Amino acid sequence: MSFTNAPVTRTLVVGLVGSSIAASLLDIKHYFYISIGTHILRYHQLWRVLAYQLCYLNSSEVLFGAMALYNMRTIEQRWGSRKYASFILVTALFTSIVPPLILTAFLRPLSFGVLDFLPAGPTPIIFAILAQYHAMIPHMYKYKVALATGPPTGQDSAALTFSDKSTKYMMAGQLAMSQFPGSLLGAVVGWLVGYAWRNEALPGVLTRWRVPGWVVGMRGQKTNAEFENMRRRLESEGASTGTASGIQQQQAGPTEGNNRRRTMGQQLIDEVRGAF
C-alpha cells in the first residue's frame, strides 16, 4: 500500500492536495470554475479552460479525488510511468476543451441559460483513468448485501451484489454527483475520452505520443552511455588478458603450448600410436 513504481500518481495526488490548499489559503478559488455566460461569452477568459482542472474547491472533493487517484495507481504500475503520464496529458487536453465547448454550444442554449456552470476539479481526468481501470483490472471477489432483515430464503432473495472494485466506483460517483449537473458532464466526457483512447478512436499521433523519459525520471541516454563504457572496459580487460596468456604460453615452451592446444581426440590417437 504505497506509491511504489507510481511516481506520476504520487505527483498527481500531492499536486491536487497542494493546489487545493493553496487556492483556499490564497483566496483565489474564484479563478478555477467556469461560468459560461460571464467568463467565456462576456469577458472572454479562455484561460479558464486550462485552469479549471487544477484543483478542487472543497475538502470532501479533495479527499475523494485523492483517494480515487491513489486506488487506481495500478494502471500506472501496469503501463509504466511514461505511458501513463502521456495518457494523462492527452486526456487533460481533451477534457479541458470538450466540456466547456459542449456547455457553450449545446447545453446552455437548449436550457435557456440554466446550464451555465462548470465546477473546478480534475473529475474528467479521474473518470478517464476509471475507464482504463474498469477495462483492465478484474474483480477479485463479489459479495451481496441483503435488503431484508430476515434470514435468506434462497438464491432469489433480495440482495445487492458488489465487488471489491465497487468502493472505487462509489468514490468516483460521489465526485460525479457533487456539483450536478456540471460535474456529471465532466465525468461523462472523461469516461468517453478514456474509452476512445483505449479503443484507438483518437488520432493515432496522440495515442502513440510519449513524453520524454526525463519527465518521469527515466535516464535512458545516461544508462546507455554507462553500458557502453562498461562494454569498452570489459573489452580492453579481455584484450589485455589475452595478451598476457600468449606471453605465458611462449615462455612455457613449444611442447607445453602444443599440449594445451591439442584436443582430447588428438591426445587419444597419440596414446594409441605410442602403444604400437
Side-chain angles (χ1 to χ4, degrees):
M1 300 297 290
S2 65
F3 290 107
T4 304
N5 298 325
V8 177
T9 301
R10 180 177 63 245
T11 302
L12 291 175
V13 172
V14 174
L16 175 62
V17 175
S19 61
S20 301
I21 293 175
S24 180
L25 293 178
L26 299 176
D27 195 20
I28 55 174
K29 291 183 177 181
H30 53 280
Y31 289 122
F32 294 100
Y33 64 86
I34 298 178
S35 176
I36 299 298
T38 303
H39 299 142
I40 303 299
L41 299 180
R42 184 176 179 181
Y43 292 108
H44 308 291
Q45 296 177 350
L46 299 180
W47 54 267
R48 286 180 180 266
V49 302
L50 301 177
Y52 84 97
Q53 294 187 98
L54 295 178
C55 66
Y56 284 114
L57 302 185
N58 60 71
S59 57
S60 61
E61 289 179 327
V62 174
L63 174 63
F64 285 113
M67 291 177 63
L69 290 172
Y70 175 78
N71 287 327
M72 293 186 291
R73 69 193 183 281
T74 50
I75 304 299
E76 180 182 0
Q77 293 169 346
R78 290 198 175 195
W79 276 0
S81 299
R82 189 179 182 187
K83 181 178 179 180
Y84 188 69
S86 306
F87 167 75
I88 293 296
L89 292 178
V90 172
T91 298
L93 175 64
F94 279 94
T95 55
S96 296
I97 298 174
V98 175
L101 184 62
I102 293 176
L103 202 59
T104 303
F106 300 102
L107 298 182
R108 187 175 185 274
L110 292 177
S111 64
F112 300 100
V114 174
L115 300 179
D116 184 70
F117 179 74
L118 194 62
T123 299
I125 297 177
I126 291 176
F127 268 80
I129 303 172
L130 186 66
Q132 312 304 319
Y133 182 85
H134 172 74
M136 292 176 57
I137 309 300
H139 63 268
M140 300 298 294
Y141 57 86
K142 290 185 176 181
Y143 58 94
K144 291 185 177 182
V145 176
L147 300 179
T149 57
T153 58
Q155 295 182 354
D156 297 333
S157 58
L160 296 176
T161 302
F162 297 94
S163 71
D164 58 305
K165 297 170 62 177
S166 299
T167 53
K168 284 77 172 179
Y169 297 140
M170 290 178 183
M171 285 187 289
Q174 170 67 26
L175 293 174
M177 303 303 294
S178 60
Q179 299 192 51
F180 182 86
S183 56
L184 181 60
L185 172 63
V188 172
V189 171
W191 182 277
L192 294 177
V193 170
Y195 258 94
W197 166 283
R198 182 167 188 82
N199 296 324
E200 298 183 354
L202 298 178
V205 66
L206 294 177
T207 56
R208 293 190 300 267
W209 175 77
R210 296 292 182 268
V211 300
W214 58 265
V215 174
V216 293
M218 296 176 61
R219 303 187 307 167
Q221 295 180 353
K222 186 175 181 180
T223 303
N224 292 335
E226 291 175 353
F227 277 114
E228 183 66 19
N229 293 333
M230 183 181 296
R231 182 184 65 81
R232 292 177 179 177
R233 186 168 62 252
L234 291 175
E235 287 180 351
S236 61
E237 291 177 356
S240 61
T241 303
T243 303
S245 299
I247 295 174
Q248 290 177 359
Q249 289 180 1
Q250 292 178 1
Q251 294 176 352
T255 304
E256 186 177 354
N258 292 333
N259 289 335
R260 288 184 179 181
R261 288 193 293 269
R262 289 187 303 167
T263 63
M264 182 65 70
Q266 291 174 344
Q267 293 180 15
L268 291 176
I269 293 174
D270 290 342
E271 292 293 336
V272 172
R273 287 176 179 175
F276 292 98

